[in-house]
Amino acid sequence: MPKPFRSGFVALLGRPNVGKSTLMNRIIGHKIAITSRRPQTTRQRVLGIKTGPDSQIVFVDTPGIHRDRRRAINVVMNRTARATVEDVDVIVVMIDVGGWRPEDRLALDAAGSRSIPVILVINKIDQLKSKTQLLPLIEASKGMAHFAEIVPVSAQTGSNIDRLEEVIVGYLPEAPAGFPADQITDRSERFLASEFIREQLFRGLGQELPYVSAVQIEEMARKDGLIRIQATIWVESDGQKAIVIGKGGERLKAIGKQARLAMEKEFASKVFLELWVKVRKGWSDDANLLRSLGYTEDG
Ligand SMILES: Nc1nc2c(ncn2[C@@H]2O[C@H](COP(=O)(O)OP(=O)(O)OP(=O)(O)O)[C@@H](O)[C@H]2O)c(=O)[nH]1
Ligand SMILES: [Mg+2]
């Protein structure tokens, strides 16, 4: 008898910076979610679709669940993550080898509201000096909640990722694929382009600046083997604008170059990218503006 086909939605939940987006990119084999060393990199839900011979896993990468409630965008991000739980078949809660922190409990609480399998992933095992250090953490985790499985991995090196995929598939319902086999995300190239720019803001700017900036694609068109993109980086003050542009425009140039390289790789095309920096005071705390920039609680 052939194996039954299994498919379903899998939420990735966890505190900011634990490695959710890195894990999704690793499994899909493409950069569809941006990552950085800073917390709160992911702001919107992104699907990552992995189709195999007898399965289709649809990952839902979510913003890290956090305590920061200073701005409207923080509240939207937390709600987005929590709402995801309602529509999935399996939940992956991710912690890292550093052990349980208060914000990890928030993610676990969000997962606990439904009776579906919850798999605990312990990420960043590449940071352990010895595997024996894992055992006490696994033991402690068993006392935190009823986990269907506990799987240690390294999203960065790929260690034990095949095993995690097998475990996840085992908990998916028998169902036909919901997406075509060659589709890897629900997001448009336009969205990915704006995210690749935002990723450089998170990687290239210090302090608070990444958190008070947003990116909007004004124009994006494919023509004659080239993708032309015009985008605006929104910040909240003239001082921030000066920092993003940098001395003699150097910083903006570097941001544009790195973002363009990521786009060329992912879109398999030459890209011509033009960036502007504009000031819009209070965008991150303005509910209407957030909507116009695409930040909605169900997206
Ligand atoms: N050493 C190590 N670093 C990792 C691993 N996985 C992710 N990271 C790093 O951890 C940082 C955060 O990764 P992300 O994937 O952006 O984390 P996230 O959980 O999506 O974070 P938010 O979007 O802010 O919620 C990045 O610097 C990654 O390179 C891992 O397995 N080992
Ligand atoms: Mg993320």
Side-chain angles (χ1 to χ4, degrees):
M1 263 232 322
K3 271 194 187 171
F5 197 89
R6 295 183 182 277
S7 95
F9 285 79
V10 179
L12 295 173
L13 291 188
R15 73 174 156 77
N17 216 33
V18 74
K20 300 175 296 296
S21 299
T22 305
L23 176 75
M24 188 167 84
N25 288 343
R26 162 68 60 183
I27 294 180
I28 308 301
H30 283 268
K31 183 185 187 66
I32 49 182
I34 62 168
T35 65
S36 88
R37 251 177 296 176
R38 292 158 163 281
Q40 299 180 27
T41 303
T42 303
R43 284 186 184 156
Q44 289 173 272
R45 190 145 73 181
V46 177
L47 297 190
I49 306 158
K50 173 75 185 270
T51 307
D54 9 72
S55 65
Q56 182 171 76
I57 313 175
V58 184
F59 288 99
V60 192
D61 186 23
T62 65
I65 296 182
H66 56 279
R67 291 189 188 285
D68 186 352
R69 312 191 124 261
R70 265 175 301 174
R71 306 184 185 98
I73 193 165
N74 294 115
V75 177
V76 173
M77 285 162 68
N78 274 335
R79 281 201 198 132
T80 300
R82 292 201 168 100
T84 300
V85 172
E86 302 305 319
D87 310 320
V88 298
D89 304 287
V90 174
I91 296 172
V92 165
V93 169
M94 184 184 271
I95 61 168
D96 71 22
V97 291
W100 286 88
R101 302 192 202 171
E103 282 191 325
D104 294 319
R105 289 300 304 258
L106 294 182
L108 192 56
D109 290 347
S113 60
R114 283 195 58 205
S115 50
I116 53 174
V118 179
I119 298 167
L120 180 71
V121 167
I122 303 177
N123 191 27
K124 310 197 184 182
I125 57 170
D126 56 290
Q127 290 179 337
L128 289 175
K129 290 205 181 63
S130 140
K131 287 259 163 73
T132 56
Q133 289 174 275
L134 261 179
L135 293 176
L137 180 53
I138 292 174
E139 280 311 309
S141 300
K142 285 180 184 163
M144 303 292 289
H146 175 71
F147 295 113
E149 309 257 353
I150 298 178
V151 189
V153 304
S154 169
Q156 186 154 291
T157 67
S159 177
N160 216 29
I161 294 295
D162 291 352
R163 166 80 190 133
L164 175 60
E165 276 190 64
E166 264 174 41
V167 166
I168 290 171
V169 169
Y171 286 97
L172 293 180
E174 283 182 30
F179 293 89
D182 60 354
Q183 186 174 347
I184 56 171
T185 184
D186 62 328
R187 292 296 188 165
S188 62
E189 285 191 340
R190 199 179 174 97
F191 174 81
L192 294 182
S194 73
E195 288 288 274
F196 291 162
I197 298 166
R198 209 164 59 75
E199 180 173 63
Q200 294 310 319
L201 300 177
F202 267 72
R203 292 184 175 185
L205 298 175
Q207 309 257 340
E208 277 284 283
L209 246 178
Y211 301 104
V212 293
S213 41
V215 175
Q216 196 169 21
I217 303 293
E218 313 281 356
E219 286 287 338
M220 181 159 173
R222 247 182 219 272
K223 206 179 155 201
D224 305 329
L226 183 76
I227 304 178
R228 282 181 185 275
I229 301 171
Q230 296 180 348
T232 300
I233 298 170
W234 291 104
V235 292
E236 301 213 314
S237 71
D238 289 328
Q240 292 169 353
K241 178 174 168 176
I243 295 172
V244 174
I245 292 172
K247 216 169 157 196
E250 285 302 315
R251 192 173 281 121
L252 187 61
K253 215 165 126 187
I255 288 168
K257 181 180 173 194
Q258 292 307 317
R260 176 176 58 78
L261 291 174
M263 292 173 194
E264 290 187 335
K265 187 159 177 236
E266 207 41 60
F267 303 158
S269 164
K270 278 250 162 253
V271 169
F272 179 74
L273 174 63
E274 272 182 289
L275 286 178
W276 281 276
V277 186
K278 293 182 191 166
V279 178
R280 193 128 135 191
K281 205 170 160 359
W283 73 265
S284 64
D285 209 21
D286 179 329
N288 289 327
L289 205 51
L290 285 176
R291 257 191 302 280
S292 76
L293 289 169
Y295 297 110
T296 56
E297 281 160 26
D298 53 20

